[in-house]
Amino acid sequence: MSAPALNPLATEIAAMIAQDGPMSVERYMGLCLSHPVHGYYMTRDPLGADGDFVTSPEISQMFGELLGLWSAETWRLIGAAQPARLVELGPGRGTLMADALRAARAAPDFFAQLTVTMVETSPTLQARQQRMLENAERTVNWADAVEQIPPGAAIILANEFFDALPARHYVKTPEGWRERQVGFADGRFVFGAAPEIEKYLTVEAETGAVLEVGAIGQRIMTTLAARIVAQGGALLVVDYGHAQTVLGETLQAMRDHAYVDPLESPGEADLTTHIDFAGLGRAAKAAGARVHGPVTQGYFLRQIGIVQRAQALMRNATPEQRAEIERSLVRLISEENETDMGRLFKVMAVTQRSVEALPGFIEEPTV
Ligand code: SAH
């Protein structure tokens, strides 16, 4: 079989490998997603039916509306700081924030005080978000990194943000754990292992096992949790992943709503990994914060009133619209199968230790 033709990013990565040797999976994933010219998020709007994947806010306006109401309620609960600062990490098309702001008008004390910060690295998506929020009637600022969020108590929302950050892989060999790398041989990218042994990694596993570590996400979590401990606020993380730390890799590439090989056509497919909520929770606790959840997305959305919201929308809807509301409700909250969004997606929040209960995370009494 002859090697496939290389796209411009593949040519560049192959040249880097020829010069410096194989690179870490983390570096490879970072280049595919965020290379300034050819990176996946830098060049396109990947969301929606005609994009590569669909997210909850793109499925239904109810998702962003409920997160807006959750933000208002949480803001009051933790002391109604002035100004009310609402932040979103990786806001995609800006749909979630537009829906959240519309719903937040129902909480005039919150809305009147509100200023918004969008944390987004992609210029293409920043422009898209600016258009989406043109009529928001609130001050909206953009930042490229969490360190640039203005100081003060902030309600920070992150839907499908942590899964889009590069992760490291380690592979178990008979001599010990080695970092997994991407090399280039016979015209293609191939996985390999670094020559050095990672002596501090002592997890027991069989030869060939892969350990995935979201080090960049953990660092961001540490920064945000420390900020919340010092200045107040709350972080809400919604993402797909597992509640417990597990072995095995979850790196996946998605293009046109189908899975493809992550080593083929770098920069042209969305690369993600499942989130290790336990690892993120440990990072937040180590910074002195309280962790709420994770609970399933289905549980969280039900508890903050998605069913009632759907019923209210249906009252003024045509039969076709009603069917559509019903369909998107089921899609967001169903927990029947393991791959249903209501179950695969989990929700976790981080606050100061003094905040004991948050809407969406209150345990239902068992009878
Ligand atoms: N939250 C949106 C989009 C999810 S896609 C939704 O639910 O529809 C991931 C988003 O994170 C994109 O907007 C992408 O450009 C952004 N992103 C990826 N890496 C980032 C980083 N390091 N800092 C800020 N934003 C980032």
Side-chain angles (χ1 to χ4, degrees):
M1 223 166 61
S2 67
L6 300 184
N7 69 26
L9 182 57
T11 307
E12 205 171 305
I13 295 176
M16 288 177 187
I17 293 172
Q19 173 102 26
D20 303 325
M23 63 175 68
S24 67
V25 167
E26 180 181 72
R27 173 107 199 277
Y28 174 80
M29 205 176 157
L31 286 166
C32 289
L33 293 174
S34 303
H35 181 282
V37 181
H38 307 298
Y40 179 73
Y41 283 116
M42 297 298 154
T43 51
R44 69 195 78 212
D45 167 9
L47 291 140
D50 47 355
D52 290 315
F53 59 97
V54 179
T55 57
S56 296
E58 303 298 333
I59 289 173
S60 167
Q61 67 183 76
M62 295 188 285
F63 187 81
E65 289 171 349
L66 284 160
L67 262 53
L69 295 173
W70 181 91
S71 301
E73 213 176 314
T74 299
W75 170 76
R76 271 188 217 128
L77 202 82
I78 62 178
Q82 316 283 349
R85 193 173 293 293
L86 184 58
V87 178
E88 188 180 351
L89 311 181
R93 288 181 167 177
T95 310
L96 191 162
M97 188 55 78
D99 293 337
L101 291 179
R102 196 176 55 252
R105 286 168 187 268
D109 52 338
F110 175 65
F111 191 73
Q113 293 295 330
L114 200 55
T115 73
V116 176
T117 302
M118 308 281 267
V119 181
E120 175 59 68
T121 37
S122 155
T124 310
L125 288 172
Q126 268 197 22
R128 175 98 208 202
Q129 293 154 17
Q130 264 155 10
R131 265 180 285 140
M132 188 69 102
L133 296 178
E134 242 161 32
N135 304 317
E137 292 175 26
R138 294 297 93 173
T139 307
V140 184
N141 305 300
W142 274 263
D144 317 318
V146 294
E147 288 77 15
Q148 293 159 18
I149 302 169
I155 307 291
I156 305 170
L157 306 175
N159 184 61
E160 290 212 42
F161 167 72
F162 283 93
D163 69 50
L165 300 172
R168 282 181 204 163
H169 280 176
Y170 296 95
V171 57
K172 185 74 197 288
T173 64
E175 303 78 36
W177 289 96
R178 299 171 194 264
E179 183 158 17
R180 200 181 195 195
Q181 295 182 318
V182 176
F184 191 74
D186 301 328
R188 311 164 189 275
F189 294 107
V190 289
F191 285 122
E196 310 82 46
I197 303 292
E198 305 284 343
K199 291 201 185 66
Y200 62 89
L201 257 184
T202 53
V203 185
E204 297 280 337
E206 303 201 339
T207 296
V210 174
L211 180 68
E212 195 168 70
V213 179
I216 295 176
Q218 294 202 355
R219 211 160 55 226
I220 291 179
M221 176 55 95
T222 301
T223 303
L224 293 176
R227 173 198 167 106
I228 287 169
V229 168
Q231 307 178 34
L235 165 66
L236 188 75
V237 178
V238 187
D239 227 309
Y240 48 93
H242 21 258
Q244 306 303 325
T245 304
V246 289
L247 276 176
E249 61 146 322
T250 65
L251 177 66
Q252 62 188 36
M254 210 174 219
R255 188 174 182 180
D256 287 335
H257 302 267
Y259 294 108
V260 296
D261 178 352
L263 295 185
E264 226 181 281
S265 312
E268 293 179 33
D270 185 33
L271 293 190
T272 61
T273 57
H274 283 36
I275 295 309
D276 171 14
F277 277 99
L280 286 182
R282 282 193 295 271
K285 283 181 198 155
R290 182 187 288 268
V291 172
H292 307 256
V295 297
T296 61
Q297 171 165 304
Y299 182 90
F300 177 81
L301 290 176
R302 251 185 264 262
Q303 197 173 86
I304 63 172
I306 195 166
V307 176
Q308 293 81 342
R309 178 73 193 132
Q311 283 162 350
L313 285 174
M314 282 188 215
R315 274 199 285 279
N316 303 314
T318 64
E320 294 81 52
Q321 288 169 331
R322 235 174 293 177
E324 176 52 34
I325 295 165
E326 178 70 38
R327 256 199 310 277
S328 47
L329 175 69
V330 169
R331 199 156 162 210
L332 290 178
I333 68 175
S334 170
E335 296 188 49
E336 223 165 273
N337 304 306
E338 221 160 291
T339 52
D340 285 353
M341 289 185 91
R343 181 150 147 204
L344 180 61
F345 278 71
K346 315 269 187 309
V347 188
M348 189 175 96
V350 174
T351 61
Q352 289 183 337
R353 278 217 190 106
S354 56
V355 181
E356 285 177 10
L358 274 187
F361 298 94
I362 297 160
E363 275 178 48
E364 269 154 21
T366 41
V367 280

